[in-house]
Amino acid sequence: MVPTSLVLPLVLLLAPVPATPAVVVPTAQTRAFVDDPSADPANSDADDPAVWVHPSRPERTVVLGTLKEGGLAAFDLRGRTLGTYPAPPAPTPGAKPGRFNNVDVLSGVAVGGRKRDLAFVSDRGRDRIRVYEVDGRGSAVGSTVLSDVTDPAAKPVFSASEAAVDDQRNAYGLAAGVDRRTGTPLVLTNRRSETRIALLHVVPGRAGTVGTEVVSTVDLPSSFPLPDGTTWTPCGDPGDRPQAEGMVVDSAHGVAYVAQEDVGIWRIPVRVSGFGSPELVDVVRSFGAPQRYDEATEECVPDGPDPGFGGEWLSADAEGLTIAEGRGGGGELIASSQGDSRFVRYERTGRNRVLGDFVVGAGRGLDSVEHSDGAQVVTADLGRGYREGLLVVHDGERRPAVGDQATTGFSYVSWGDVVH
């Protein structure tokens, strides 16, 4: 489904761009993780965070983070590891193991005859949505915070067979929310190397387990009309389409925001039965710039002058998205501009006007944040240090590295430091 106009992103170019972004510094960081078989957990590559807010004791709030083949980790508000939960092994010799990509949390989900606090995880290794139940009584170091309650009969989201699963065009980004009219829980996931987004409902499984089922899909465009009358197709690996990953559901307004990495940010109406028409609300700087795939380097390289149709705020990849709730239905949409390690703030409503940007710099003896994939903000009062809320972001370049091995992790930022 191709939008009829790209006027809105071009209007956004008129917004004044500050010479330098605001700088905030972390209040805490998790441990560093290493993507190597010798690491513990093995092959851990941090990617996407989510936050479960304790309903009565906010100081016991839990931060979750995906670690790819390392599975899922739980942390407290000081960044200490509460526990790690492995991704499933390969089901047969030669098959791909589980590989956790994105995570989101819904509290009070009515399933299986009772309300439950659930974390939904996209398993890009096995093309499933895995489900964990959060137990706040265990939010202490060394205790069990999460229980895997995934229906063992869960089917692949996009793949027609287990053999197709191993081709790895699987569930990738993920976001969860509720239908604003019915309160029905909704889970969205997109497909790696494709443009498809799926809407799933939460369903009861066997013996108290939880499953999901696809009810609708929508496809984002693969090519785009430009103001000069030409058509532009983003460059990528041969056979790949311009994929999306980062997503967030704005349940109060009945929309989802989706970051198509080499394109920009889409706003899509979403309801219990399916999707409305996608609208492109901002584009990356390289939007419309000609590129070609260089087989020698296996990278996309410039292939002519940039016609200047790109945006001003996002440097590809457009990545993690999160909503900061505000009073009276207000708030902000936050986007990770991964290419230049910035975060862009947009109005939550209307035309999603840009409010500014910021970076997470080094300070308080903690590392800066580079090339962030995912982000999650909550604006509840979580106690000392987080009276106005907490922003958790993925750090793609945790320093110092472990020997010659690159490390990743998650950093915490006081939301009050961002908005003041």
Side-chain angles (χ1 to χ4, degrees):
M1 184 178 298
V2 178
T4 58
S5 172
L6 295 182
V7 171
L8 185 53
L10 300 179
V11 169
L12 284 174
L13 301 187
L14 301 178
V17 181
T20 57
V23 180
V24 297
V25 298
T27 53
Q29 291 178 327
T30 68
R31 55 160 286 199
F33 293 93
V34 180
D35 188 10
D36 188 82
S38 65
D40 184 18
N43 302 317
S44 290
D45 183 10
D47 191 284
D48 185 55
V51 181
W52 174 80
V53 178
H54 196 288
S56 60
R57 300 184 63 181
E59 73 278 4
R60 296 181 68 173
T61 288
V62 176
V63 174
L64 306 179
T66 56
L67 304 175
K68 300 288 179 57
E69 287 186 27
L72 188 63
F75 311 98
D76 68 8
L77 287 180
R78 295 171 60 183
R80 298 177 301 180
T81 303
L82 301 175
T84 56
Y85 306 85
T92 58
K96 300 289 186 181
R99 186 173 173 86
F100 289 177
N101 210 63
N102 280 190
V103 58
D104 208 351
V105 172
L106 284 179
S107 295
V109 179
V111 60
R114 60 188 177 92
K115 291 187 176 181
R116 306 163 76 171
D117 293 353
L118 300 175
F120 299 90
V121 183
S122 56
D123 182 350
R124 63 183 270 193
R126 301 308 311 156
D127 196 26
R128 263 76 170 181
I129 303 302
R130 299 204 67 85
V131 188
Y132 290 81
E133 187 160 11
V134 185
D135 184 355
R137 295 173 301 175
S139 52
V141 174
S143 59
T144 300
V145 182
L146 301 175
S147 299
D148 189 345
V149 295
T150 309
D151 183 355
K155 298 179 180 179
V157 178
F158 296 108
S159 304
S161 66
E162 293 299 332
V165 166
D166 289 327
D167 290 337
Q168 295 295 282
R169 291 179 181 262
N170 295 339
Y172 199 52
L174 180 142
V178 298
D179 179 80
R180 64 175 176 172
R181 292 182 177 86
T182 66
T184 303
L186 308 174
V187 176
L188 275 62
T189 188
N190 45 51
R191 190 175 191 184
R192 183 174 180 265
S193 303
E194 300 286 351
T195 64
R196 177 155 294 184
I197 304 165
L199 169 67
L200 302 93
H201 287 178
V202 180
V203 295
R206 296 177 295 184
T209 60
V210 181
T212 52
E213 61 181 14
V214 177
V215 295
S216 184
T217 61
V218 66
D219 292 319
L220 298 177
S222 295
S223 59
F224 302 85
L226 298 177
D228 62 1
T230 63
T231 298
W232 174 72
T233 301
C235 177
D237 291 350
D240 286 359
R241 298 187 181 192
Q243 69 184 12
E245 183 179 3
M247 299 191 294
V248 65
V249 178
D250 186 350
S251 299
H253 295 94
V255 298
Y257 291 94
V258 179
Q260 194 174 13
E261 295 177 349
D262 294 323
V263 177
I265 299 173
W266 296 87
R267 181 175 57 220
I268 310 176
V270 61
R271 51 192 178 275
V272 67
S273 57
F275 298 97
S277 298
E279 180 183 11
L280 191 57
V281 299
D282 199 6
V283 295
V284 297
R285 294 186 181 98
S286 54
F287 183 89
Q291 293 182 317
R292 62 177 175 82
Y293 183 77
D294 184 343
E295 292 186 358
T297 62
E298 297 184 341
E299 299 286 348
C300 290
V301 297
D303 192 31
D306 188 337
F309 298 135
E312 293 287 346
W313 295 92
L314 296 171
S315 181
D317 293 347
E319 285 287 352
L321 299 175
T322 184
I323 295 285
E325 299 281 348
R327 295 180 179 177
E332 301 181 11
L333 169 70
I334 312 301
S336 171
S337 174
Q338 190 183 59
D340 59 4
S341 301
R342 298 188 186 202
F343 296 88
V344 184
R345 301 167 61 192
Y346 298 86
E347 286 182 333
R348 181 182 183 183
T349 56
R351 290 191 170 185
N352 300 117
R353 180 176 62 91
V354 174
L355 301 174
D357 62 348
F358 65 94
V359 298
V360 181
R364 301 189 177 107
L366 302 173
D367 185 25
S368 59
V369 169
E370 279 77 36
H371 307 304
S372 182
D373 237 25
Q376 174 74 58
V377 62
V378 295
T379 54
D381 181 353
L382 302 183
R384 183 178 179 181
Y386 303 112
R387 291 297 182 188
E388 296 182 66
L390 165 68
L391 170 66
V392 183
V393 297
H394 161 258
D395 182 3
E397 294 183 18
R398 173 60 53 82
R399 293 186 295 266
V402 176
D404 60 354
Q405 297 175 322
T407 52
T408 55
F410 299 98
S411 290
Y412 298 7
V413 175
S414 169
W415 183 242
D417 291 346
V418 176
V419 297
H420 294 301

